[in-house]
Every structure is written in C-alpha cells, then in structure tokens.
Amino acid sequence: MSAEACDPSPFAIRTSRSGTRFVVTCRGEVDVTTCDAFFAAVLPGIADSGTRRVAIDLGGVTFLSASGLRILLLLLCACHYNGKEFDLCNVPPRVRRVLDLFGFTTFKAGLVWEATMSPVSRRH
C-alpha cells in the first residue's frame, strides 16, 4: 500500500457569494488541524452586513470530529447573534449521523444563545 493511499484527503475551503447568501464549500476532514482555517473562512461572511444567510456546503467532507462539530456550533451561534440565517447543505450520511448523534440538527441557536451567552440571561 502506498503512502498516498493512507493519507487523508487534503482539506480545502472555497467561499462564494450569491446575492445576500455567503456559501462556504468544504472538502476533506474537518478536525482539530483544519478548524481554525474553516472558522476563518466563514467569519467574513458572518461579519459582512450584506450577508443574510450563511450556507455551509459539507458535500465533500469525509470526516467531522468533535472539534469540527464545536466550530459548527460556534458559527451557528455567531450567525444567530449577528442576525444571519445558517444552513448546512449537501451533508453526507456519515457526517449527518455525527450531527444527529449530538443533536445538532434539532436544537435552536436562539435557545443556546439565550441560555449560555446572552448578557441579559447572566446573573451576578
């Protein structure tokens, strides 16, 4: 077996804009080694006042680690805080399973934000 056969697919990120929709397309493994680059690629779309919806296309993702899940949660909350809609698109079955197991596909960002991050909900 060659070394190439054992190497994971390289991680790649592509961003695009379609009207008020900011799209981030990922390929490869979303794990502790790629999360910073992933977060950095999405953040400008969230910060842009012309963006209404941030869409993450996971069609080319081969693996999603707990670190990757954490980044998705942070991005979801950042979108909510900034008044943006957040979508996951083209989620492969193995990635969907991880998201489902952790309840990512069923919880609401607003509830998480209000319960954990909102200055109004913090009591001193």
Side-chain angles (χ1 to χ4, degrees):
M1 185 180 288
S2 72
E4 291 175 8
C6 295
D7 290 338
S9 60
F11 184 70
I13 307 166
R14 184 173 38 97
T15 62
S16 62
R17 176 172 296 286
S18 177
T20 61
R21 187 172 184 238
F22 184 79
V23 181
V24 179
T25 304
C26 302
R27 188 190 72 207
E29 295 186 357
V30 181
D31 60 21
V32 70
T33 64
T34 60
C35 283
D36 288 344
F38 178 41
F39 188 79
V42 181
L43 211 49
I46 295 171
D48 186 343
S49 63
T51 299
R52 297 280 178 247
R53 177 180 301 270
V54 174
I56 310 295
D57 184 336
L58 299 174
V61 172
T62 56
F63 175 76
L64 179 69
S65 73
S67 298
L69 182 63
R70 179 179 178 273
I71 290 299
L72 288 175
L73 290 170
L74 289 172
L75 292 170
L76 174 66
C77 288
C79 281
H80 177 75
Y81 177 75
N82 287 284
K84 317 289 183 184
E85 294 181 41
F86 183 84
D87 290 324
L88 296 179
C89 313
N90 303 316
V91 182
R94 69 176 67 160
V95 174
R96 165 78 57 197
R97 176 138 171 81
V98 171
L99 295 172
D100 289 343
L101 285 170
F102 285 93
F104 186 89
T105 53
T106 58
F107 79 88
K108 303 291 184 201
L111 297 175
V112 172
W113 178 261
E114 291 301 321
T116 62
M117 308 280 287
S118 175
V120 175
S121 68
R122 291 185 187 170
R123 300 182 198 246
H124 297 285

